[in-house]
Amino acid sequence: MAGIYIHIPFCSKACHYCNFHFSTSLHRKEAFLKALHREIAAQQFPVPLERPLTISTLYIGGGTPSLLSYDELYQLVQQVKNNYPFESGMEITLEANPDDINSEKLTGWKQAGINRLSIGVQSFRQQDLEWMNRAHSATQATRAIELARQAGFENLTIDLIYGTPTLEDAAWLENLGIANTLGITHLSCYALTVEEKTALHHFIAKGKVACLDEEKQARHFEMLTQWAEEHGWEQYEISNLCRPGHRSKHNSAYWAGTPYLGFGPSAHSFDGKNNRWMAVANNALYIKAWMENDGAGTYEIETLTKEQQLNERIMTGLRRMEGIPIDSALQTISGIQTTAALYNLFIKEAKKSEEEGLCRITQTAILLTESGKLKADALAAGLFF
């Protein structure tokens, strides 16, 4: 099984915190879609892949793919179906902004085969949205979810951001409470981060915005974990929660090391073994490559060493509810064979974190404790080879 991700590199507005590849100008949209269709149909990759590939998930993200017309979106899904075998009942997700959502579009998306919506809410509070420079209003956020449910979308996920200067503790719980009452099935909750080359980074560097309050962010995360437990949500990955039975199949496959194909500028792909490649993060160069040179020069390739593969599995494994799978008999860590010496060294380091109360070691896995979740990245770094 494999997943497909398609990157649509257009947005109506630039959020202050976002460092994804996108353009607020749509004048290359038509040319981009032609190039994208060519890339999907070409089925040529910089490394050989095991065939046949059966696609179990399709995720259309960006950018803001909900900017596409119904016909553009329908043709895109059909192009993927025409070139790759789909698993029966597969998960097909579309990222959508609240200001793009209306009854007519929702009907069209269902007809195109979309069965899961990821709605970029970020907050249900107007002052938070204005601070982030979001294109939608608080009213549009709640209305978009209500319309999606009325249209028959039962698999709904939203994004929420915590730790922003305008979001106090009570307001964060209020955001979670609203999400809980709106009938969504999945939550992705992220601490606000400052990425280079973003407006937020510039504002902080110039002293226009104060540095982020790390204590508040940690407190908001602890509140999230407690809220999830009290309201029956499964925190199956540090930043992702769901009602039972509604995990993101697409993202879960990423974390499990399953192969995936990425189409569009800046999209990543992975062969499930040790090769990763990324398409050029430039719309003009991407279009030129596929319209004139059959994609030549489009990709940057990275071949992972065994140590890098282990480190990635350690990082993603720790973040998941199931932890890092281990097998002392086979000396495997997350399914990757090691020597006895390396395996024992890894367990020795893990036991140090266990003594600090940050993780616990069972016969089959290394799992984070509640306090360990706050230090997951540092803990993982300490276990890296």
Side-chain angles (χ1 to χ4, degrees):
M1 298 296 179
I4 285 180
Y5 171 79
I6 297 177
H7 188 79
I8 307 299
F10 301 106
C11 286
S12 60
K13 196 174 185 180
C15 300
H16 286 160
Y17 56 85
C18 182
N19 74 332
F20 292 156
H21 169 65
F22 68 93
S23 170
T24 54
S25 171
L26 299 180
H27 80 275
R28 285 197 175 100
K29 188 180 75 164
E30 185 176 340
F32 158 74
L33 288 172
K34 288 180 181 179
L36 180 61
H37 278 262
R38 286 198 177 191
E39 183 187 17
I40 294 169
Q43 295 194 40
Q44 61 184 51
F45 308 103
V47 299
L49 298 177
E50 292 184 6
R51 302 297 181 102
L53 286 174
T54 299
I55 305 305
S56 56
T57 62
L58 171 61
Y59 193 105
I60 306 172
T64 311
S66 54
L67 287 174
L68 298 182
S69 69
Y70 161 72
D71 186 62
E72 289 167 339
L73 188 61
Y74 176 83
Q75 294 299 328
L76 184 57
V77 175
Q78 290 303 308
Q79 180 73 325
V80 178
K81 286 184 176 180
N82 290 341
N83 287 279
Y84 294 92
F86 274 25
E87 180 187 15
S88 176
M90 67 178 288
E91 176 188 274
I92 305 179
T93 303
L94 176 73
E95 286 186 353
N97 275 356
D99 47 305
D100 289 328
I101 293 177
N102 57 49
S103 297
E104 184 179 0
K105 278 192 171 184
L106 288 162
T107 299
W109 293 342
K110 284 189 73 71
Q111 291 173 348
I114 307 300
N115 54 28
R116 182 173 184 267
L117 287 183
S118 176
I119 304 177
V121 169
Q122 315 309 348
S123 177
F124 292 104
R125 290 160 32 90
Q126 188 63 32
Q127 63 209 89
D128 301 334
L129 298 172
E130 290 176 1
W131 186 88
M132 297 179 205
N133 201 40
R134 294 291 294 172
H136 68 275
S137 68
T139 301
Q140 286 174 315
T142 53
R143 182 58 177 159
I145 296 169
E146 291 167 352
L147 287 173
R149 293 195 65 201
Q150 291 170 14
F153 282 95
E154 298 178 357
N155 204 351
L156 291 173
T157 179
I158 66 170
D159 293 345
L160 291 176
I161 293 179
Y162 59 84
T164 61
T166 55
L167 188 69
E168 298 306 321
D169 294 2
W172 173 225
L173 287 177
E174 180 185 350
N175 266 342
L176 292 172
I178 293 172
N180 196 46
T181 61
L182 286 174
I184 61 169
T185 53
H186 189 281
L187 273 172
S188 293
C189 299
Y190 304 106
L192 179 68
T193 55
V194 183
E195 305 288 354
E196 291 188 4
K197 299 180 180 179
T198 62
L200 179 58
H201 183 268
H202 173 77
F203 295 155
I204 291 176
K206 294 293 183 181
K208 296 180 180 179
V209 172
C211 293
L212 301 186
D213 185 341
E214 293 184 3
E215 289 186 4
K216 176 197 273 191
Q217 294 196 328
R219 192 167 64 250
H220 282 190
F221 178 78
E222 291 175 330
M223 292 166 64
L224 171 66
T225 298
Q226 182 178 349
W227 176 88
E229 184 176 350
E230 291 174 354
H231 291 84
W233 286 75
E234 179 184 65
Q235 191 174 13
Y236 70 102
E237 195 268 349
I238 284 181
S239 298
N240 288 272
L241 306 88
C242 68
R243 297 187 188 278
H246 288 88
R247 294 187 182 191
S248 165
K249 294 179 182 178
H250 186 82
N251 288 346
S252 294
Y254 284 158
W255 304 323
T258 301
Y260 56 87
L261 303 176
F263 298 112
S266 80
H268 288 70
S269 302
F270 178 58
D271 66 356
K273 297 177 181 177
N274 66 333
N275 292 296
R276 180 186 292 114
W277 57 99
M278 182 185 81
V280 62
N282 182 293
N283 291 357
L285 292 178
Y286 172 84
I287 292 167
K288 181 179 177 64
W290 280 106
M291 298 307 292
E292 299 180 10
N293 300 309
D294 294 324
T298 305
Y299 303 115
E300 178 181 333
I301 307 171
E302 179 186 15
T303 300
L304 303 175
T305 65
K306 191 168 187 177
E307 289 76 15
Q308 288 173 322
Q309 293 176 64
L310 275 166
N311 291 345
E312 289 199 357
R313 294 289 183 88
I314 289 167
M315 174 67 80
T316 56
L318 266 186
R319 294 181 62 88
R320 301 169 68 198
M321 176 187 286
E322 292 77 13
I324 305 170
I326 54 174
D327 188 326
S328 57
L330 297 175
Q331 296 159 18
T332 63
I333 301 168
S334 283
I336 298 177
Q337 186 88 35
T338 67
T339 64
L342 282 178
Y343 181 85
N344 291 334
L345 177 62
F346 174 78
I347 296 299
K348 180 181 178 182
E349 291 299 318
K351 284 183 176 178
K352 293 179 183 178
S353 295
E354 185 177 40
E355 291 170 0
E356 295 174 12
L358 301 177
C359 71
R360 59 188 179 90
I361 304 173
T362 71
Q363 290 186 332
T364 58
I366 298 173
L367 308 159
L368 288 178
T369 61
E370 291 304 314
S371 58
K373 289 178 181 179
L374 272 173
K375 301 179 180 180
D377 290 347
L379 200 160
L383 295 175
F384 282 172
F385 290 88

